[in-house]
Amino acid sequence: MVQGQLIGWVIWFFILVLSAYLVPYYLLSDIYKVYGAFLYWGLFAVTAIISVVIITKRWRD
Amino acid sequence: MKASYIYIAVTLYFILGTVVAVYAKRGMTHGVADFFIANRTIGGFVAALTYSATTYSAFMMVGLAGLTYVGGVGAWGFELIYLSGLVLVAFFGPRFWLAGKKYGYITPCELLGDRYQSKALQAVTAVASIIFLIPYSAVQLMGIGTLMEGMSKGAIPFMAGLVIATFVTIIWAYMGGMRAVAWTDSLQALLMIIVATISVLCVVYGAFGGFGGLFDVLAAKHPKWLAVPGPGYFNMKAFVALALPWFFFCLSNPQVSQRLFIPKSLGAMRTMLVGFLVFGFIYTFISIIWGFSARALIPGLKSGDLATPSLLTLDVIPAVIALLVMVGITAAAVSTTNSIILTLSSMVAQDILKVSNPNIEESKLYAVGRVFVPLFAIAAFLFATLRLGLIAVLSVASSAGLLVIVPAIIGAFFWKRGTAAGAITGIVVGGIAAFWFQFGGVRPLGWGPGVWSGIISASLFIIVSLLTAPPREKANEFMDYVNGALKEKNAI
């Protein structure tokens, strides 16, 4: 169960971080507005932060 | 700006920090664990702020703003990819913390040395960290000297700024070790973010009428700055070479990975991690907006490094705010430098001295480790006074250079077949390659040292490990304990 969750999260973060390299360079490279790469990277970071909050929420002391 | 104002502001900052350091060190014992990691008793809020202040140096408001000025929005992406690298703490944080508590580790090198059953690996990792982090500290001190010299228009000489920075760096860390550093870091982190926020609001609302106005000006006059590769600085290969090693910063840099030992509980570690992410997102946003504002207001500068000093001289920023920004940048540099120096001192005590003489008394370890706080600070000071090109090269190479430690760290928790010989080979050859590629401008297939050092060290770690015998008993015992404890704590 734990092993499966670990693999699932690793795959999720791999896709998320890969998108932070590929999307701005290949899909948004000619959008010269604030809603282009700037917005994408901002949303990417917020998604990463929310994911970390979800992972760590279940930790027990 | 008058030199006397700068001296007064820095003196007030120093007095306030010293009061906090004196308060923080109450009840501190003369133990090594207490001096270097505060006996693993730091609460979540302070842990979050010391993690933030240690991670974010003068680079943010000067270097990152400069990168934005030169290369545009790519700087935002690169820094946020670094921030997202903190997901690694969600996986490795509990592992470091549990193993540290069980086996009494004080430094990350100690963890590697014990896990792979190799004193040589422990010492090699410590030496590699010292080689790359002393020049990095020197650059921080140089930054303060240059900033004070620039803001006072030469009335405060570079050397005077350097001496002030070194003095402040030594005092708090020497006085109260991690307790004093963590609490003064907290003060400095709050100072950094409050001052930076006020200053950026002054610029954005004073000069553009708001954030919409700033982005309208950029879209109209500097559209390339809103896309990548944009003006050209952040081509894909340069971006990857920068962002890849920074993604692993939280594991590769011992001054931050050592902080995974300090929270008093897993709950405190969670607060540390989430608190840092929120701090980092806001501070990154501010630094980028600062760089964009400079591009829109003063587009003709010769270098990105001039963006922040030039912006501070504009009328839209009241003199008192400019002064506070200077103190905030000084705080960012000092809080990073004294944390690095404290970590390096702990490595001398635990990873070099104790390894060479396992029967040494704890009081002696404590005394020697503490003496190395001023010694390392003075070494960084001397490097800074030389103003050698080599320092800059080593400093730039530090992120790529320290990346070579990461495969051994991952292997420690996830690969029983990993060996000390593999780890040492990867660290030594990868480290030399990082320095050589950086210094010699070598770019195989067009990729920078940040990509190659990671590939070389990971490949060698795997290949040499497969050819040598692992410490099976220790690997089983270590990983069984960590995995069992993780289950108990409901961490993955």
Side-chain angles (χ1 to χ4, degrees), chain B residues 25-86:
Chain B
K25 75 184 277 270
R26 290 168 315 144
M28 189 180 84
T29 61
H30 287 185
V32 176
D34 201 350
F35 190 72
F36 290 118
I37 55 170
N39 267 343
R40 310 174 208 275
T41 57
I42 300 291
F45 186 69
V46 172
L49 291 175
T50 185
Y51 198 104
S52 304
T54 298
T55 298
Y56 291 125
S57 65
F59 169 76
M60 293 297 282
M61 287 291 281
V62 181
L64 188 64
L67 278 180
T68 312
Y69 182 88
V70 172
V73 73
W76 170 240
F78 141 66
E79 192 64 27
L80 289 182
I81 286 178
Y82 153 69
L83 192 71
S84 74
L86 266 287

Short mmCIF file of all heavy atoms in Angstrom, two decimals, chain B residues 25-86:
data_model
loop_
_atom_site.label_atom_id
_atom_site.label_comp_id
_atom_site.label_asym_id
_atom_site.label_seq_id
_atom_site.Cartn_x
_atom_site.Cartn_y
_atom_site.Cartn_z
N LYS B 25 20.04 31.20 23.33
CA LYS B 25 21.05 30.26 23.84
C LYS B 25 20.87 29.92 25.32
O LYS B 25 21.63 29.12 25.87
CB LYS B 25 22.47 30.81 23.59
CG LYS B 25 22.89 31.95 24.52
CD LYS B 25 24.26 32.46 24.12
CE LYS B 25 25.36 31.61 24.71
NZ LYS B 25 25.81 32.06 26.03
N ARG B 26 19.82 30.47 25.95
CA ARG B 26 19.58 30.14 27.36
C ARG B 26 19.43 28.62 27.50
O ARG B 26 18.72 28.00 26.74
CB ARG B 26 18.30 30.79 27.87
CG ARG B 26 18.34 32.28 28.04
CD ARG B 26 16.93 32.80 28.27
NE ARG B 26 16.00 32.17 27.32
CZ ARG B 26 14.75 31.84 27.58
NH1 ARG B 26 14.25 32.08 28.76
NH2 ARG B 26 13.98 31.27 26.68
N GLY B 27 20.09 28.08 28.50
CA GLY B 27 19.94 26.64 28.78
C GLY B 27 20.73 25.75 27.84
O GLY B 27 20.63 24.52 27.92
N MET B 28 21.52 26.35 26.96
CA MET B 28 22.31 25.53 26.04
C MET B 28 23.43 24.80 26.81
O MET B 28 24.10 25.39 27.64
CB MET B 28 22.93 26.41 24.95
CG MET B 28 23.58 25.63 23.84
SD MET B 28 24.31 26.70 22.58
CE MET B 28 25.90 27.07 23.29
N THR B 29 23.58 23.51 26.51
CA THR B 29 24.65 22.76 27.17
C THR B 29 25.89 22.76 26.29
O THR B 29 25.84 23.26 25.16
CB THR B 29 24.21 21.30 27.38
OG1 THR B 29 23.95 20.74 26.09
CG2 THR B 29 22.96 21.22 28.24
N HIS B 30 26.97 22.18 26.79
CA HIS B 30 28.20 22.13 25.99
C HIS B 30 28.31 20.82 25.21
O HIS B 30 29.38 20.24 25.11
CB HIS B 30 29.42 22.34 26.89
CG HIS B 30 29.56 23.76 27.34
ND1 HIS B 30 30.62 24.23 28.08
CD2 HIS B 30 28.75 24.83 27.17
CE1 HIS B 30 30.45 25.53 28.33
NE2 HIS B 30 29.31 25.90 27.79
N GLY B 31 27.18 20.36 24.72
CA GLY B 31 27.18 19.11 23.95
C GLY B 31 27.23 19.41 22.46
O GLY B 31 26.77 20.47 22.01
N VAL B 32 27.79 18.47 21.72
CA VAL B 32 27.92 18.66 20.27
C VAL B 32 26.53 18.71 19.61
O VAL B 32 26.27 19.57 18.76
CB VAL B 32 28.76 17.50 19.66
CG1 VAL B 32 28.84 17.63 18.15
CG2 VAL B 32 30.15 17.51 20.25
N ALA B 33 25.65 17.78 20.02
CA ALA B 33 24.31 17.75 19.41
C ALA B 33 23.54 19.03 19.73
O ALA B 33 22.78 19.53 18.90
CB ALA B 33 23.53 16.54 19.91
N ASP B 34 23.75 19.57 20.91
CA ASP B 34 23.06 20.81 21.28
C ASP B 34 23.59 21.98 20.46
O ASP B 34 22.84 22.79 19.91
CB ASP B 34 23.24 21.08 22.78
CG ASP B 34 22.16 22.02 23.31
OD1 ASP B 34 21.42 22.58 22.48
OD2 ASP B 34 22.06 22.21 24.53
N PHE B 35 24.91 22.07 20.35
CA PHE B 35 25.50 23.20 19.64
C PHE B 35 25.18 23.18 18.13
O PHE B 35 24.88 24.22 17.55
CB PHE B 35 27.03 23.20 19.83
CG PHE B 35 27.68 24.46 19.34
CD1 PHE B 35 27.54 25.67 20.02
CD2 PHE B 35 28.43 24.46 18.16
CE1 PHE B 35 28.13 26.84 19.54
CE2 PHE B 35 29.03 25.62 17.69
CZ PHE B 35 28.88 26.82 18.39
N PHE B 36 25.22 21.98 17.54
CA PHE B 36 25.08 21.95 16.08
C PHE B 36 23.66 21.71 15.57
O PHE B 36 23.31 22.14 14.47
CB PHE B 36 26.02 20.90 15.48
CG PHE B 36 27.47 21.31 15.57
CD1 PHE B 36 28.38 20.56 16.30
CD2 PHE B 36 27.93 22.47 14.96
CE1 PHE B 36 29.70 20.94 16.40
CE2 PHE B 36 29.26 22.86 15.05
CZ PHE B 36 30.14 22.09 15.79
N ILE B 37 22.84 21.00 16.35
CA ILE B 37 21.46 20.77 15.86
C ILE B 37 20.42 21.02 16.96
O ILE B 37 19.30 20.52 16.88
CB ILE B 37 21.28 19.37 15.22
CG1 ILE B 37 21.69 18.26 16.20
CG2 ILE B 37 22.03 19.24 13.92
CD1 ILE B 37 21.29 16.87 15.71
N ALA B 38 20.80 21.81 17.95
CA ALA B 38 19.87 22.22 19.01
C ALA B 38 19.15 21.03 19.65
O ALA B 38 17.98 21.16 20.02
CB ALA B 38 18.87 23.24 18.46
N ASN B 39 19.87 19.92 19.75
CA ASN B 39 19.31 18.71 20.38
C ASN B 39 17.98 18.26 19.77
O ASN B 39 17.13 17.71 20.47
CB ASN B 39 19.11 18.92 21.89
CG ASN B 39 20.31 18.44 22.67
OD1 ASN B 39 21.12 17.69 22.14
ND2 ASN B 39 20.43 18.88 23.91
N ARG B 40 17.76 18.57 18.50
CA ARG B 40 16.52 18.18 17.78
C ARG B 40 15.27 18.70 18.52
O ARG B 40 14.31 17.96 18.73
CB ARG B 40 16.42 16.64 17.66
CG ARG B 40 17.66 15.98 17.12
CD ARG B 40 17.59 14.46 17.14
NE ARG B 40 18.95 13.92 17.25
CZ ARG B 40 19.77 13.71 16.22
NH1 ARG B 40 19.37 13.96 15.02
NH2 ARG B 40 20.99 13.27 16.41
N THR B 41 15.31 19.96 18.90
CA THR B 41 14.19 20.49 19.70
C THR B 41 13.51 21.71 19.07
O THR B 41 12.74 22.41 19.73
CB THR B 41 14.69 20.94 21.09
OG1 THR B 41 15.73 21.92 20.90
CG2 THR B 41 15.20 19.79 21.91
N ILE B 42 13.80 22.00 17.81
CA ILE B 42 13.28 23.23 17.21
C ILE B 42 11.80 23.05 16.80
O ILE B 42 11.44 22.06 16.15
CB ILE B 42 14.13 23.63 15.98
CG1 ILE B 42 15.60 23.87 16.38
CG2 ILE B 42 13.57 24.87 15.30
CD1 ILE B 42 15.87 25.06 17.24
N GLY B 43 10.99 24.02 17.15
CA GLY B 43 9.57 23.99 16.79
C GLY B 43 9.36 24.29 15.31
O GLY B 43 10.27 24.79 14.63
N GLY B 44 8.16 24.00 14.82
CA GLY B 44 7.89 24.11 13.39
C GLY B 44 8.04 25.51 12.81
O GLY B 44 8.60 25.68 11.73
N PHE B 45 7.55 26.53 13.54
CA PHE B 45 7.58 27.90 13.01
C PHE B 45 9.02 28.40 12.85
O PHE B 45 9.40 28.92 11.79
CB PHE B 45 6.79 28.81 13.96
CG PHE B 45 6.63 30.21 13.45
CD1 PHE B 45 5.84 30.48 12.34
CD2 PHE B 45 7.27 31.27 14.08
CE1 PHE B 45 5.70 31.79 11.87
CE2 PHE B 45 7.14 32.58 13.62
CZ PHE B 45 6.35 32.83 12.50
N VAL B 46 9.82 28.21 13.91
CA VAL B 46 11.23 28.64 13.84
C VAL B 46 11.97 27.80 12.79
O VAL B 46 12.79 28.33 12.03
CB VAL B 46 11.90 28.53 15.23
CG1 VAL B 46 13.40 28.77 15.14
CG2 VAL B 46 11.28 29.54 16.18
N ALA B 47 11.67 26.51 12.74
CA ALA B 47 12.32 25.64 11.74
C ALA B 47 12.02 26.14 10.32
O ALA B 47 12.90 26.16 9.46
CB ALA B 47 11.86 24.20 11.91
N ALA B 48 10.77 26.54 10.09
CA ALA B 48 10.39 27.03 8.75
C ALA B 48 11.16 28.30 8.40
O ALA B 48 11.65 28.47 7.28
CB ALA B 48 8.89 27.31 8.69
N LEU B 49 11.29 29.19 9.38
CA LEU B 49 11.97 30.45 9.10
C LEU B 49 13.48 30.28 8.95
O LEU B 49 14.11 30.92 8.12
CB LEU B 49 11.64 31.47 10.19
CG LEU B 49 10.18 31.95 10.17
CD1 LEU B 49 9.90 32.87 11.36
CD2 LEU B 49 9.85 32.68 8.88
N THR B 50 14.07 29.39 9.78
CA THR B 50 15.53 29.20 9.62
C THR B 50 15.82 28.47 8.30
O THR B 50 16.81 28.76 7.63
CB THR B 50 16.17 28.44 10.82
OG1 THR B 50 17.58 28.41 10.63
CG2 THR B 50 15.66 27.03 10.97
N TYR B 51 14.93 27.57 7.92
CA TYR B 51 15.11 26.89 6.62
C TYR B 51 15.03 27.93 5.49
O TYR B 51 15.81 27.91 4.55
CB TYR B 51 14.02 25.82 6.45
CG TYR B 51 14.35 24.80 5.38
CD1 TYR B 51 14.79 23.53 5.72
CD2 TYR B 51 14.22 25.12 4.03
CE1 TYR B 51 15.10 22.59 4.74
CE2 TYR B 51 14.54 24.20 3.05
CZ TYR B 51 14.97 22.94 3.40
OH TYR B 51 15.29 22.03 2.42
N SER B 52 14.09 28.85 5.62
CA SER B 52 13.91 29.89 4.58
C SER B 52 15.12 30.81 4.53
O SER B 52 15.66 31.09 3.45
CB SER B 52 12.66 30.72 4.88
OG SER B 52 11.53 29.89 4.99
N ALA B 53 15.54 31.30 5.70
CA ALA B 53 16.65 32.26 5.72
C ALA B 53 17.95 31.62 5.27
O ALA B 53 18.79 32.28 4.64
CB ALA B 53 16.80 32.84 7.13
N THR B 54 18.12 30.33 5.59
CA THR B 54 19.35 29.63 5.18
C THR B 54 19.35 29.42 3.67
O THR B 54 20.36 29.62 2.99
CB THR B 54 19.44 28.26 5.90
OG1 THR B 54 19.51 28.50 7.29
CG2 THR B 54 20.66 27.48 5.46
N THR B 55 18.21 29.03 3.13
CA THR B 55 18.13 28.77 1.69
C THR B 55 18.27 30.04 0.87
O THR B 55 19.02 30.09 -0.10
CB THR B 55 16.77 28.11 1.37
OG1 THR B 55 16.70 26.88 2.07
CG2 THR B 55 16.62 27.87 -0.12
N TYR B 56 17.52 31.07 1.27
CA TYR B 56 17.49 32.26 0.43
C TYR B 56 18.56 33.26 0.86
O TYR B 56 18.53 33.80 1.96
CB TYR B 56 16.10 32.90 0.47
CG TYR B 56 15.09 32.04 -0.24
CD1 TYR B 56 13.92 31.62 0.39
CD2 TYR B 56 15.32 31.63 -1.55
CE1 TYR B 56 13.01 30.80 -0.28
CE2 TYR B 56 14.41 30.81 -2.21
CZ TYR B 56 13.25 30.42 -1.57
OH TYR B 56 12.37 29.61 -2.24
N SER B 57 19.49 33.48 -0.04
CA SER B 57 20.62 34.35 0.25
C SER B 57 20.41 35.68 -0.47
O SER B 57 19.34 35.97 -1.00
CB SER B 57 21.89 33.69 -0.25
OG SER B 57 21.84 33.57 -1.66
N ALA B 58 21.49 36.45 -0.54
CA ALA B 58 21.45 37.72 -1.27
C ALA B 58 21.16 37.47 -2.75
O ALA B 58 20.82 38.40 -3.50
CB ALA B 58 22.77 38.45 -1.11
N PHE B 59 21.31 36.22 -3.17
CA PHE B 59 21.06 35.88 -4.58
C PHE B 59 19.66 36.31 -5.02
O PHE B 59 19.47 36.76 -6.16
CB PHE B 59 21.22 34.36 -4.78
CG PHE B 59 20.72 33.88 -6.11
CD1 PHE B 59 21.46 34.10 -7.25
CD2 PHE B 59 19.50 33.23 -6.22
CE1 PHE B 59 21.00 33.68 -8.48
CE2 PHE B 59 19.03 32.81 -7.45
CZ PHE B 59 19.78 33.03 -8.59
N MET B 60 18.66 36.20 -4.12
CA MET B 60 17.29 36.43 -4.55
C MET B 60 17.05 37.86 -5.03
O MET B 60 16.61 38.09 -6.15
CB MET B 60 16.32 36.10 -3.41
CG MET B 60 16.27 34.64 -3.05
SD MET B 60 15.69 33.60 -4.40
CE MET B 60 13.94 33.86 -4.31
N MET B 61 17.29 38.81 -4.14
CA MET B 61 16.95 40.21 -4.48
C MET B 61 18.02 40.86 -5.37
O MET B 61 17.81 41.95 -5.90
CB MET B 61 16.77 41.03 -3.20
CG MET B 61 15.49 40.74 -2.45
SD MET B 61 14.01 41.29 -3.32
CE MET B 61 14.00 43.04 -2.94
N VAL B 62 19.17 40.22 -5.51
CA VAL B 62 20.21 40.77 -6.38
C VAL B 62 20.36 39.88 -7.62
O VAL B 62 20.11 40.31 -8.75
CB VAL B 62 21.56 40.91 -5.62
CG1 VAL B 62 22.61 41.52 -6.55
CG2 VAL B 62 21.39 41.77 -4.37
N GLY B 63 20.76 38.61 -7.39
CA GLY B 63 21.04 37.72 -8.52
C GLY B 63 19.81 37.33 -9.32
O GLY B 63 19.80 37.42 -10.55
N LEU B 64 18.76 36.89 -8.63
CA LEU B 64 17.55 36.45 -9.35
C LEU B 64 16.85 37.64 -10.02
O LEU B 64 16.38 37.54 -11.16
CB LEU B 64 16.58 35.74 -8.40
CG LEU B 64 15.39 35.07 -9.08
CD1 LEU B 64 15.83 33.93 -10.00
CD2 LEU B 64 14.38 34.54 -8.07
N ALA B 65 16.83 38.77 -9.31
CA ALA B 65 16.27 39.98 -9.92
C ALA B 65 17.08 40.34 -11.17
O ALA B 65 16.52 40.73 -12.21
CB ALA B 65 16.28 41.13 -8.91
N GLY B 66 18.41 40.18 -11.09
CA GLY B 66 19.29 40.46 -12.22
C GLY B 66 19.03 39.50 -13.38
O GLY B 66 19.00 39.90 -14.55
N LEU B 67 18.82 38.21 -13.04
CA LEU B 67 18.52 37.22 -14.09
C LEU B 67 17.20 37.56 -14.78
O LEU B 67 17.06 37.39 -16.00
CB LEU B 67 18.41 35.82 -13.48
CG LEU B 67 19.70 35.06 -13.22
CD1 LEU B 67 19.39 33.69 -12.62
CD2 LEU B 67 20.49 34.87 -14.51
N THR B 68 16.23 38.04 -14.00
CA THR B 68 14.94 38.45 -14.59
C THR B 68 15.15 39.64 -15.51
O THR B 68 14.59 39.72 -16.61
CB THR B 68 13.94 38.82 -13.47
OG1 THR B 68 13.96 37.81 -12.48
CG2 THR B 68 12.53 38.98 -14.01
N TYR B 69 15.97 40.56 -15.05
CA TYR B 69 16.25 41.76 -15.84
C TYR B 69 16.85 41.38 -17.20
O TYR B 69 16.48 41.92 -18.23
CB TYR B 69 17.23 42.65 -15.05
CG TYR B 69 17.58 43.94 -15.74
CD1 TYR B 69 16.80 45.08 -15.55
CD2 TYR B 69 18.68 44.02 -16.59
CE1 TYR B 69 17.12 46.26 -16.19
CE2 TYR B 69 19.00 45.21 -17.23
CZ TYR B 69 18.21 46.32 -17.03
OH TYR B 69 18.52 47.49 -17.67
N VAL B 70 17.77 40.40 -17.17
CA VAL B 70 18.47 40.01 -18.39
C VAL B 70 17.67 39.01 -19.23
O VAL B 70 17.58 39.13 -20.44
CB VAL B 70 19.84 39.39 -18.03
CG1 VAL B 70 20.52 38.80 -19.26
CG2 VAL B 70 20.74 40.43 -17.39
N GLY B 71 17.08 38.00 -18.52
CA GLY B 71 16.51 36.88 -19.27
C GLY B 71 15.00 36.76 -19.21
O GLY B 71 14.42 35.91 -19.89
N GLY B 72 14.34 37.56 -18.36
CA GLY B 72 12.88 37.53 -18.32
C GLY B 72 12.29 36.42 -17.49
O GLY B 72 12.90 35.95 -16.51
N VAL B 73 11.13 35.95 -17.92
CA VAL B 73 10.29 35.06 -17.11
C VAL B 73 10.94 33.69 -16.83
O VAL B 73 10.54 33.00 -15.89
CB VAL B 73 8.91 34.89 -17.78
CG1 VAL B 73 9.01 34.02 -19.02
CG2 VAL B 73 7.88 34.35 -16.81
N GLY B 74 11.95 33.33 -17.60
CA GLY B 74 12.65 32.06 -17.36
C GLY B 74 13.20 31.99 -15.93
O GLY B 74 13.29 30.92 -15.34
N ALA B 75 13.56 33.14 -15.37
CA ALA B 75 14.08 33.17 -14.00
C ALA B 75 13.01 32.72 -13.01
O ALA B 75 13.31 32.05 -12.01
CB ALA B 75 14.55 34.59 -13.67
N TRP B 76 11.78 33.08 -13.28
CA TRP B 76 10.63 32.69 -12.45
C TRP B 76 10.46 31.16 -12.51
O TRP B 76 10.32 30.50 -11.49
CB TRP B 76 9.40 33.42 -12.98
CG TRP B 76 8.01 33.09 -12.52
CD1 TRP B 76 7.00 32.67 -13.33
CD2 TRP B 76 7.43 33.23 -11.21
NE1 TRP B 76 5.84 32.52 -12.61
CE2 TRP B 76 6.07 32.86 -11.31
CE3 TRP B 76 7.92 33.62 -9.98
CZ2 TRP B 76 5.19 32.88 -10.22
CZ3 TRP B 76 7.05 33.63 -8.89
CH2 TRP B 76 5.71 33.27 -9.01
N GLY B 77 10.55 30.61 -13.72
CA GLY B 77 10.41 29.17 -13.90
C GLY B 77 11.54 28.41 -13.22
O GLY B 77 11.31 27.44 -12.49
N PHE B 78 12.75 28.87 -13.42
CA PHE B 78 13.92 28.20 -12.84
C PHE B 78 13.82 28.18 -11.32
O PHE B 78 14.03 27.16 -10.68
CB PHE B 78 15.19 28.92 -13.34
CG PHE B 78 16.29 29.08 -12.35
CD1 PHE B 78 16.97 27.97 -11.86
CD2 PHE B 78 16.68 30.34 -11.91
CE1 PHE B 78 18.00 28.13 -10.93
CE2 PHE B 78 17.69 30.50 -11.00
CZ PHE B 78 18.35 29.38 -10.50
N GLU B 79 13.43 29.30 -10.71
CA GLU B 79 13.38 29.37 -9.25
C GLU B 79 12.19 28.56 -8.70
O GLU B 79 12.28 27.97 -7.62
CB GLU B 79 13.30 30.83 -8.80
CG GLU B 79 13.52 31.05 -7.32
CD GLU B 79 14.91 30.67 -6.81
OE1 GLU B 79 15.87 30.71 -7.61
OE2 GLU B 79 15.04 30.33 -5.63
N LEU B 80 11.10 28.52 -9.46
CA LEU B 80 9.96 27.72 -8.98
C LEU B 80 10.20 26.22 -9.15
O LEU B 80 9.68 25.41 -8.36
CB LEU B 80 8.66 28.14 -9.67
CG LEU B 80 8.13 29.51 -9.24
CD1 LEU B 80 6.82 29.82 -9.95
CD2 LEU B 80 7.95 29.62 -7.73
N ILE B 81 11.00 25.85 -10.12
CA ILE B 81 11.37 24.43 -10.24
C ILE B 81 12.23 24.06 -9.03
O ILE B 81 12.10 22.98 -8.45
CB ILE B 81 12.08 24.14 -11.57
CG1 ILE B 81 11.04 24.16 -12.69
CG2 ILE B 81 12.79 22.78 -11.53
CD1 ILE B 81 11.58 23.95 -14.07
N TYR B 82 13.10 24.98 -8.64
CA TYR B 82 13.86 24.73 -7.40
C TYR B 82 12.87 24.52 -6.24
O TYR B 82 13.00 23.56 -5.47
CB TYR B 82 14.81 25.91 -7.07
CG TYR B 82 15.03 25.96 -5.59
CD1 TYR B 82 15.76 24.94 -4.97
CD2 TYR B 82 14.41 26.91 -4.79
CE1 TYR B 82 15.89 24.89 -3.60
CE2 TYR B 82 14.53 26.86 -3.42
CZ TYR B 82 15.28 25.85 -2.83
OH TYR B 82 15.38 25.79 -1.48
N LEU B 83 11.91 25.43 -6.12
CA LEU B 83 10.96 25.36 -4.99
C LEU B 83 10.20 24.03 -5.01
O LEU B 83 10.00 23.39 -3.97
CB LEU B 83 9.98 26.54 -5.06
CG LEU B 83 9.12 26.76 -3.81
CD1 LEU B 83 9.96 27.27 -2.66
CD2 LEU B 83 7.99 27.76 -4.09
N SER B 84 9.82 23.60 -6.21
CA SER B 84 9.08 22.34 -6.31
C SER B 84 9.95 21.15 -5.89
O SER B 84 9.44 20.09 -5.53
CB SER B 84 8.54 22.13 -7.73
OG SER B 84 9.60 21.76 -8.59
N GLY B 85 11.27 21.34 -5.95
CA GLY B 85 12.19 20.29 -5.50
C GLY B 85 12.00 19.94 -4.03
O GLY B 85 12.45 18.89 -3.57
N LEU B 86 11.30 20.82 -3.32
CA LEU B 86 11.05 20.54 -1.90
C LEU B 86 10.11 19.36 -1.71
O LEU B 86 9.94 18.88 -0.59
CB LEU B 86 10.49 21.80 -1.21
CG LEU B 86 11.51 22.72 -0.53
CD1 LEU B 86 12.03 22.08 0.75
CD2 LEU B 86 12.69 23.06 -1.43
#
